[in-house]
Amino acid sequence: MASCLQLPMASSAYPERKSWRSSKTVCRSTSSRSAAAKIPMPPLNPRDPFLTKLASVASTYPNLKPPINSNSDTPPYLDLFDDYSPKLMASPAQVERSVSYNEHRPRKPPPDLPSLLLHGRIVYIGMPLVPAVTELVIAELLYLQYMDPKEPIYLYINSTGTTRDDGETVGMESEGFAIYDAMMQLKNDIETVAVGAAIGQACLLLAAGKKGRRFMMPHAKAMIQQPRVPSSGLMPASDVLIRAKEVVTNRDTLIKLLSRHTGNSLEKVTNVMKRPFYMDSSRAQEFGVIDKILWRGQEKIMADAASPEEWDRKAGIKVADAI
């Protein structure tokens, strides 16, 4: 500091004052760095119980390095959680409480439920048949056929069809027909299960499953009804008449398809559809909408049951060749 105070100050010119200020700044910074370098660090106490316990806990978590394959086409660390389970080092919270803040946090983000069901070859319809639902269901059916065209697909249905509970139309009848056509075009066997409700077009999808593999929960409901005319609003009379004719065409198509899959005549289906026809599980089985009623333990009974071909083979019955 003494050398800094003895700077020449004879002249009062601006350059001299500028050099004096810069020299003063350099001296202050130099003195502050020297003072900071002389601050003593507190000594580490090797007998500190906390540090001893921290070291013992940390020794149980070795600092492993994940294997990185340099010859792989995958960039490093993108497949870190596939082949390697990382271990976290001990933290003070773990030492003091033996519980980490991230103890119950999963290592991977959990997948969404539709993806989990799709992994089990399950397609769930739990909403009215609006365009967004139809798009998703058809995409899932096509994807499952692409993955394995021989394994069956399980279609769970809890839908009010193209209407809501109060009868208001929310979708066109073509939404149900689109899913039905996709089911008929697939190579896979589709097993249908009704949970909750299968109303209108949803009842058609329930009946369109593989014969012998159409199921219903004990307290589920099925109902068939005529298609409803959408709200006409301020349409002219000619447009209303065109819509009414289209609804009649959809009704006739629905009657034919229900007659085909339930085994009933067109006249019987037409008569029961004059008014909403509700069916519980037993009545739906009698009408031909389903084949079996599910209850707890039914899956094991169904798995142990022999196929019709096996029964014929055991009984010595041979199928005659087609003429």
Side-chain angles (χ1 to χ4, degrees):
M1 291 292 294
S3 61
C4 295
L5 293 176
Q6 294 177 1
L7 292 175
M9 301 178 61
S11 174
S12 61
Y14 177 76
E16 293 295 329
R17 291 200 302 268
K18 183 176 181 181
S19 61
W20 175 79
R21 288 178 182 176
S22 61
S23 302
K24 186 177 181 181
T25 304
V26 170
C27 295
R28 287 182 178 178
S29 61
T30 306
S31 61
S32 61
R33 283 199 303 268
S34 60
K38 295 180 181 180
I39 296 177
M41 295 297 294
L44 298 178
N45 186 7
R47 298 181 181 180
D48 190 352
F50 175 78
L51 296 178
T52 305
K53 193 173 182 180
L54 178 62
S56 62
V57 174
S59 62
T60 60
Y61 294 87
N63 188 14
L64 300 177
K65 294 183 179 180
I68 302 176
N69 187 5
S70 59
N71 298 326
S72 176
D73 296 333
T74 306
Y77 295 102
L78 287 184
D79 53 352
L80 176 64
F81 294 100
D82 294 337
D83 302 325
Y84 174 72
S85 298
K87 295 182 179 180
L88 298 177
M89 295 295 292
S91 62
Q94 283 179 306
V95 177
E96 294 180 353
R97 306 180 184 87
S98 299
V99 175
S100 173
Y101 292 111
N102 299 330
E103 180 183 8
H104 302 290
R105 183 176 297 176
R107 300 300 177 99
K108 299 184 191 178
D112 55 299
L113 291 181
S115 299
L116 289 176
L117 295 178
L118 192 65
H119 182 70
R121 305 189 64 82
I122 296 175
V123 178
Y124 177 59
I125 304 177
M127 295 179 61
L129 301 181
V130 295
V133 175
T134 303
E135 176 187 3
L136 178 61
V137 171
I138 294 179
E140 289 181 344
L141 292 175
L142 296 177
Y143 173 78
L144 291 177
Q145 178 188 233
Y146 168 77
M147 293 301 296
D148 194 340
K150 297 181 180 179
E151 289 293 324
I153 300 174
Y154 307 95
L155 182 63
Y156 284 72
I157 302 173
N158 182 20
S159 173
T160 57
T162 56
T163 61
R164 294 194 313 186
D165 296 339
D166 56 359
E168 182 181 355
T169 302
V170 295
M172 299 179 62
E173 299 297 319
S174 58
E175 306 296 338
F177 292 145
I179 300 178
Y180 172 82
D181 291 338
M183 293 171 59
M184 296 298 103
Q185 293 297 324
L186 294 182
K187 300 178 182 179
N188 308 75
D189 293 334
I190 300 180
E191 303 181 11
T192 55
V193 182
V195 289
I199 297 176
Q201 293 280 351
C203 186
L204 171 63
L205 302 181
L206 174 63
K210 179 179 173 58
K211 284 294 182 69
R213 308 296 294 178
R214 302 173 301 175
F215 308 106
M216 198 170 183
M217 294 297 180
H219 301 96
K221 294 289 183 180
M223 191 263 279
I224 54 177
Q225 61 181 353
Q226 298 187 33
R228 300 176 181 270
V229 180
S231 177
S232 57
L234 300 178
M235 289 184 178
S238 58
D239 293 353
V240 174
L241 181 60
I242 293 174
R243 283 203 171 191
K245 291 181 179 179
E246 180 63 20
V247 171
V248 172
T249 302
N250 293 333
R251 181 201 62 186
D252 296 340
T253 304
L254 183 60
I255 291 175
K256 292 179 182 178
L257 296 178
L258 285 173
S259 175
R260 177 192 306 175
H261 292 286
T262 60
N264 298 305
S265 61
L266 293 175
E267 292 77 10
K268 183 176 180 179
V269 178
T270 303
N271 291 332
V272 299
M273 280 186 59
K274 290 181 179 179
R275 302 298 298 171
F277 182 63
Y278 285 90
M279 297 172 283
D280 57 5
S281 56
S282 300
R283 197 171 184 181
Q285 187 177 11
E286 296 175 359
F287 193 76
V289 175
I290 63 170
D291 302 304
K292 296 178 183 178
I293 304 173
L294 287 179
W295 63 86
R296 181 170 295 180
Q298 178 74 6
E299 293 81 2
K300 186 178 184 303
I301 298 175
M302 292 161 45
D304 296 340
S307 62
E309 293 78 9
E310 188 175 354
W311 278 102
D312 295 341
R313 183 180 58 80
K314 291 180 179 180
I317 301 176
K318 296 182 180 180
V319 180
D321 297 335
I323 301 176

